[in-house]
Amino acid sequence: MSIALVILAAGKGTRMESDLPKVLHKIGGAPLLHHAMLSASALEPERTIVVTGHGADLVEAAALEFDADAIAVRQDEQLGTAHAVKQAKDALDGFEGDMIMLYGDTPFITTDTLEAMIAARTTHDVVVLGFKAADPARYGRLIMDDTGLTRIVEYKDASDAEREVTLCNSGVMCADAATFMDLVSAVGNDNAAGEYYATDIVGIAKARGLKATAVTCDEAETLGINSRLELASAEALFQQSKRRELIEDGVMMQAPDTVFLSFDTIIGRDAEIEPNVVFAPGVTVESNARIRAFSHLEGAHVSRGATVGPFARLRPGAELAEDVHIGNFVEIKNASIDEGAKVNHLTYIGDAQIGARTNIGAGTITCNYDGVMKHKTIIGRDTFIGSNTMLVAPVTVGHEAMTATATTVTKDVPDGAMAISRAEQNNKPGFARKLFSILRAKKAKQAKG
Ligand code: UD1
Ligand code: CA
C-alpha cells in the first residue's frame, strides 16, 4: 500500500510567545516538525506534503532539510484544519493509496501506532487516532456507538453530555487519499469557531455509509506543543525516554538525570557517561569509551576506549580514534586525532590532524585563524609537542619530531627534528632580591602617606 503524509504546520502558535514558527522549536536538538516527519518516515511514504503558512519560508526550508523530496504547499489564511488539508490537493495529483494527516506540533507519535492505523484501514474507510485523556480539557471528543466511530465533536460545539466523553481526538487521521480529499471538500464552517474542521469528515463519512473507527494510543504519544511550558515538559519526557533507551542498551550512566541527549545521539555498549554531560546533535560514542563529567560534545565521533574530559569540549568534526585521551579544558574542532594520541590539558586543536601516539603538551594552541581564513595544522605520529607551543597554521610537524616548550612554530618541522624558537635564558644574579626590596619600600611609603 502506498502512503502519502500530509503534515499540517501552518498555524501561528500564538501561545509560544515567539518569533520562531512553532514547529521549528526544538526537542532533543531537532525541530518538532522533524520529529513528526521522523516517526512517519519509517512507513516509507511515497509523498510527504507539508502545509505551511506562518513563517512558511523557514518551515519549508526545515521540511526540505529533513527530506529533500518533501513537497511544501501554502495555506495563506488559516481557516481550519480541513482547509489546510485541502491545500494538498494538487500535490496529491495522481497519487493512489492511503493518506495520513498529522500535525507538525505533535512530535511523539510512534511508527507502531501509525502502522496500527494502517492495519485498521483494511476494515474501515476512515481511521482516527484517539486516546483516553486524563484531563480531556478542550480536545475534540470521539463519539462512538456499536457501529464504530460516528463523529468527532469539537469541545466548543459539544453538549454537556459529550463533554463527559474522555476518548479524545489526537488529530491523526487516515483514509484512502481520494476519499479523504473528497470528504474534506464537503466540510463547511458552520460551527462555534467558524472554522473548517478536518474532524467533520467522520460525520460526513458516516452519512455517506462509510465506516469509521478509532485506534487508540497512550496519551503521552499524542502530546501536542502549544506553549513553552509544554515544550519544556516534552523535552523532559524526550530526555527520560532517550536515557532509558541508551541505558537499556548497555550504556553506563551514574546520574542519568544530568545527562542531556539529542534525537540522534548514538552511544555504544559499556561506554561510560559521567554526570553533567551534554550531547548536542551529531554525536557517536563507541563501546568502552568514557565521557567524563561536565563535557560538551557536538558533531563528534569518539572511538572505542577513548576518554574525553572532565570539562572537555568536542565541536563539529572532532574525530577521535581508539584510545585517544582528551583531558580537561581542551577544545577540539574539525580535527582528527589518531589512535592513542593524548591532548590532556588546556589546549585548542582546530582544523588539524594529529598522528597516532603523539602527545600534545599543556597549553598548546593551533592558531588556525588569521582573522579572515582558516588554516590547517598537520602533526605526524609519535611526535611530542612541548607545553605552550603555538602552531601558526598552515603548518606541518613531521613524525617523531618535537617542539620545545613555548615554541612558536611558523615553519614546517621535518621528521625527527626538534623546533625551538624562544629567546635564550639570561639569569641576573641578585636581581630579584634587589627588586623585591625596592618594591616593598615603595609600598610601605604609600601606606604611610
Ligand atoms: C485539533 C482538533 C481536535 C484535537 C486536537 C488535538 C480540529 C478541528 N480539531 O484541535 O479535535 O483534539 O487538535 O491536539 O482539527 N493548522 C493549520 N492550518 C489551520 C489550522 C490548523 O495548518 O488553518 C495546523 C496547526 O498548525 C496545528 C494543527 O493544524 O499543527 C492543529 O491545529 P490547532 O488549531 O492546534 O487545532 P486544535 O484546536 O488543537
Ligand atoms: Ca493544538
Side-chain angles (χ1 to χ4, degrees), residues 8 10-11 75 78-81 84 103 105 139-140 154 169-170 197 199:
L8 306 192
Q75 184 195 23
Q78 281 69 55
L79 303 179
T81 45
Y103 295 162
D105 64 357
Y139 288 117
E154 287 304 301
N169 176 31
S170 68
Y197 295 154
T199 45

Side-chain angles (χ1 to χ4, degrees), residues 101-389:
M101 177 189 91
L102 294 162
Y103 295 162
D105 64 357
T106 307
F108 298 139
I109 307 277
T110 63
T111 308
D112 285 353
T113 294
L114 296 176
E115 275 167 354
M117 292 181 72
I118 292 166
R121 271 275 300 125
T122 52
T123 49
H124 292 82
D125 300 291
V126 177
V127 179
V128 173
L129 181 63
F131 63 102
K132 280 270 182 207
D135 171 17
R138 306 198 145 257
Y139 288 117
R141 305 296 206 265
L142 302 189
I143 310 300
M144 311 284 294
D145 69 10
D146 21 307
T147 66
L149 177 62
T150 58
R151 65 188 193 105
I152 304 177
V153 58
E154 287 304 301
Y155 176 83
K156 283 183 185 169
D157 303 288
S159 65
D160 288 345
E162 286 167 335
R163 286 180 183 178
E164 293 296 310
V165 172
T166 56
L167 184 62
C168 292
N169 176 31
S170 68
V172 187
M173 292 203 250
C174 177
D176 166 75
T179 308
F180 206 133
M181 295 314 285
D182 199 37
L183 291 168
V184 144
S185 66
V187 170
N189 66 348
D190 182 17
N191 53 51
E195 280 183 22
Y196 295 88
Y197 295 154
T199 45
D200 279 355
I201 69 166
V202 172
I204 296 169
K206 174 86 180 165
R208 291 184 182 179
L210 300 177
K211 288 197 338 191
T213 192
V215 160
T216 55
C217 70
D218 202 62
E219 183 168 9
E221 257 187 65
T222 69
L223 186 79
I225 311 299
N226 299 294
S227 66
R228 287 188 188 262
L229 274 174
E230 287 174 2
L231 184 70
S233 320
E235 178 75 50
L237 286 173
F238 168 84
Q239 292 297 336
Q240 265 170 33
S241 82
K242 182 83 188 177
R243 288 169 192 140
R244 168 179 287 267
E245 186 187 299
L246 290 172
I247 292 168
E248 281 174 354
D249 288 348
V251 175
M252 152 89 184
M253 290 187 203
Q254 298 152 325
D257 289 351
T258 69
V259 173
F260 290 85
L261 303 156
S262 282
F263 70 104
D264 61 350
T265 306
I266 297 172
I267 306 179
R269 213 174 130 96
D270 290 319
E272 182 180 349
I273 313 300
E274 289 188 355
N276 296 296
V277 174
V278 176
F279 293 90
V283 176
T284 302
V285 174
E286 291 184 9
S287 292
N288 291 300
R290 186 172 182 207
I291 311 298
R292 306 205 55 197
F294 296 100
S295 294
H296 189 284
L297 294 79
E298 177 176 11
H301 176 210
V302 179
S303 300
R304 290 179 77 88
T307 301
V308 173
F311 298 99
R313 180 167 185 209
L314 301 186
R315 291 175 52 204
E319 174 67 47
L320 314 189
E322 293 190 13
D323 303 319
V324 158
H325 283 221
I326 302 298
N328 38 237
F329 308 107
V330 170
E331 175 180 345
I332 310 279
K333 184 214 74 171
N334 186 31
S336 60
I337 318 287
D338 290 349
E339 209 175 312
K342 295 192 168 96
V343 190
N344 273 330
H345 330 269
L346 299 158
T347 289
Y348 173 61
I349 301 292
D351 303 309
Q353 209 176 297
I354 312 280
R357 297 170 301 281
T358 282
N359 188 90
I360 307 289
T364 295
I365 289 175
T366 52
C367 310
N368 61 326
Y369 187 47
D370 57 19
V372 181
M373 286 189 300
K374 301 278 171 69
H375 302 282
K376 195 158 183 187
T377 301
I378 298 172
I379 301 174
R381 55 165 177 79
D382 300 299
T383 282
F384 180 87
I385 301 295
S387 294
N388 198 27
T389 295

